[in-house]
Amino acid sequence: MTDLKFAAIGINHSHIYGQVDCLKTAGAQFVAFHAVEDDLAAAFGAKFPEAKRVADPREILEDGSIHIVVTAAIPGDRAAISIAAMKHGKDVLSDKPGMTTFAQLEEIKQVQKETGRIYSVMYSEHFEVRATVEAGNLIAQGAIGKVINTVGLGPHAIRNNQRPDWFFERARYGGILTDIGSHQFEQYLFFSGAMDAEVVSASVANRANPDKPGLQDVGDVHLKTANTSGYIRVDWFTPSGLPTWGDGRLTILGTEGYIELRKYIDIAGQPGQDHLFIVNAEGPRHIDCSKTVLPYGPAFLDDVRNRTETAMPQERCYNAMKLALTAQQMAERGTEWAQ
């Protein structure tokens, strides 16, 4: 079904390719994009020739036939794009982080409430990873009892010579916990069955990149709800020898078993990605999740049509970013990054 049309404003992060593919696969029609960078636009336009490149974002915002705006602009710019889109009657699908400050978060919440539009952040390490989705399915079936703890590890490859300047500017990317950590906060809430949580402790540091003083190359957080605890670590220390961009892992402890996800690689183990290991009363086993259905895209389009919240509750979308911003602020307190 191609009754819904969408356009992109801001394509600075490569996640934009996944966002577009997600909506196209679900049945929406990609019609236009705006990007100021000619090199990014050339590659993007070659991948999606059906979408017209427009010189002014107002051509998208003022086009009444376009229902959805997606953005993967520089993180510090995403909130303004999302706000403009909602004020023009569009629903929004943003890359993570959706914003980089509390002020941006509050303005997005206010505009979303006033306009009645949908504002969603694609936390891709959940919604675009079949192993994460399958873990949710198994837990919903009671496979490991009640969840009591999660450990989320999100290492990334830095590839300095391939990163744009904004990537190393704290005000533009938002800090490591706001940026790549936001994936982990959403997963913690989801698997805890909670809408909010408390940040117990948080830290960030630049351990190995003194020539990039704005970069935070490692960060970690402890979290808790009434029924669960959690730990998050994110970093830019993926070794050059790993054949993928990061060895993302998630361990979920339940009262009757546990699940470990090796999302992108099973090092020195089975080939491919989306590996799920589960241990419960039935014993240990490996589950190949390559055929697990990803529900987010179709659910998001259904929400646009029906004005519902089936893809992700609006409150969880906001609170994942609130927790990321809270942890970032706590970690930076008394440091040069707090200025």
Side-chain angles (χ1 to χ4, degrees):
M1 179 179 288
T2 57
D3 55 319
L4 294 176
K5 295 181 179 180
F6 72 98
I9 300 177
I11 62 171
N12 299 83
H13 198 294
S14 60
H15 282 165
I16 191 66
Y17 289 87
Q19 292 168 272
V20 170
D21 282 335
C22 176
L23 294 188
K24 285 183 61 177
T25 300
Q29 182 182 357
F30 187 30
V31 296
F33 73 95
H34 170 73
V36 298
E37 304 86 0
D38 289 337
D39 57 338
L40 297 180
F44 190 69
K47 172 69 174 178
F48 302 110
E50 72 272 26
K52 173 187 174 183
R53 184 186 182 188
V54 302
D56 191 323
R58 287 178 295 183
E59 293 186 51
I60 291 170
L61 296 173
E62 296 172 3
D63 186 339
S65 70
I66 294 174
H67 306 88
I68 301 162
V69 166
V70 300
T71 183
I74 294 169
D77 299 337
R78 291 173 189 168
I81 292 168
S82 299
I83 288 164
M86 288 189 286
K87 287 183 174 179
H88 282 83
K90 319 296 187 190
D91 294 315
V92 173
L93 179 59
S94 174
D95 186 18
K96 64 80 227 161
M99 69 291 299
T100 56
T101 69
F102 284 109
Q104 290 176 347
L105 173 59
E106 290 308 310
E107 188 174 3
I108 282 177
K109 291 171 68 174
Q110 179 181 346
V111 171
Q112 187 273 326
K113 184 176 181 180
E114 291 172 352
T115 61
R117 307 319 303 173
I118 294 170
Y119 174 79
S120 193
V121 175
M122 181 179 276
Y123 299 102
S124 55
E125 291 185 25
H126 176 184
F127 300 128
E128 290 293 286
V129 174
R130 297 178 194 278
T132 314
V133 172
E134 185 63 23
N137 295 339
L138 289 167
I139 290 168
Q141 296 162 15
I144 61 170
K146 295 181 179 179
V147 172
I148 56 174
N149 177 269
T150 69
V151 176
L153 306 179
H156 286 59
I158 195 165
R159 300 190 301 269
N160 283 0
N161 60 336
Q162 299 176 35
R163 297 286 181 178
D165 290 343
W166 61 260
F167 177 84
F168 301 101
E169 298 175 20
R170 163 63 182 83
R172 305 193 80 190
Y173 75 89
I176 191 170
L177 298 178
T178 296
D179 182 16
I180 58 177
S182 59
H183 286 295
Q184 306 294 333
F185 289 101
E186 189 278 332
Q187 288 170 85
Y188 174 71
L189 291 178
F190 173 74
F191 287 112
S192 294
M195 284 295 178
D196 207 350
E198 178 185 345
V199 179
V200 178
S201 69
S203 72
V204 295
N206 182 327
R207 300 296 188 194
N209 294 274
D211 59 321
K212 305 289 186 182
L215 176 68
Q216 298 163 359
D217 54 26
V218 64
D220 72 343
V221 184
H222 286 92
L223 297 157
K224 70 176 182 179
T225 70
N227 300 306
T228 66
S229 59
Y231 175 73
I232 291 167
R233 192 201 76 222
V234 287
D235 66 77
W236 293 100
F237 289 107
T238 292
S240 60
L242 192 76
T244 187
W245 58 267
D247 185 8
R249 309 185 203 182
L250 177 65
T251 299
I252 308 161
L253 176 65
T255 54
E256 298 173 27
Y258 62 90
I259 289 171
E260 181 180 354
L261 308 182
R262 303 298 295 261
K263 297 183 180 183
Y264 311 112
I265 186 171
D266 179 15
I267 54 172
Q270 299 168 90
Q273 56 186 27
D274 286 307
H275 299 281
L276 185 153
F277 303 92
I278 182 170
V279 183
N280 58 13
E282 300 174 19
R285 64 190 189 278
H286 168 266
I287 297 176
D288 177 4
C289 304
S290 60
K291 303 300 182 184
T292 298
V293 174
L294 297 174
Y296 177 82
F300 177 81
L301 295 188
D302 283 345
D303 289 342
V304 171
R305 297 184 186 100
N306 304 320
R307 315 316 297 167
T308 49
E309 292 185 18
T310 63
M312 171 174 50
Q314 189 69 74
E315 184 180 3
R316 194 173 83 225
C317 174
Y318 289 146
N319 283 347
M321 284 309 315
K322 183 194 78 172
L323 289 172
L325 291 166
T326 299
Q328 189 71 51
Q329 183 182 70
M330 181 184 294
E332 291 179 349
R333 197 166 292 147
T335 72
E336 60 185 15
W337 290 304
Q339 304 305 314

